[in-house]
Amino acid sequence: MQASAILNGIGARCGQFAVAWWILEKTESEATFAFFVSIGVLVEVLAKALFGCLGDSYSQQKIISYCYVLSSVASIYEIK
C-alpha cells in the first residue's frame, strides 16, 4: 500500500510538471510556468489540509482504496 501511495504521488507530481512544461513550451513564459507549478502545489496542500481529517475518522486503507478505484475508473473513462 505504501509503495502504491509513493508511486501515485510521484505520478501526480510528474503530471503537474508535464502540464506546466507544456504550457512553458506553448507560451514561452517562465512566469506562466511558475504560476501553474505553484497552483499544483497549492491545490495539493489545500486538499491534504481539507481531507486529512478523514483519516482520523475513517479507515485510512479504505479511503486510499476508494480513491484508487475512483482514479482507475476515471482513467478508464478518459481512455474510451
Side-chain angles (χ1 to χ4, degrees), residues 8 12 63-79:
N8 188 36
I63 292 172
I64 291 171
S65 298
Y66 292 150
C67 289
Y68 287 157
V69 168
L70 288 174
S71 177
S72 297
V73 169
S75 296
I76 291 170
Y77 180 74
E78 284 294 321
I79 292 173

Side-chain angles (χ1 to χ4, degrees), residues 16 39-54:
Q16 290 172 351
I39 290 297
V41 171
L42 177 68
V43 167
E44 185 176 345
V45 169
L46 288 176
K48 286 181 180 181
L50 292 173
F51 300 117
C53 63
L54 291 176

Side-chain angles (χ1 to χ4, degrees), residues 15-57:
Q16 290 172 351
F17 278 118
V19 170
W21 203 265
W22 176 78
I23 289 170
L24 175 64
E25 183 180 291
K26 296 295 180 186
T27 64
E28 297 180 3
S29 170
E30 291 87 7
T32 306
F33 172 78
F35 174 75
F36 274 89
V37 170
S38 63
I39 290 297
V41 171
L42 177 68
V43 167
E44 185 176 345
V45 169
L46 288 176
K48 286 181 180 181
L50 292 173
F51 300 117
C53 63
L54 291 176
D56 297 334
S57 303

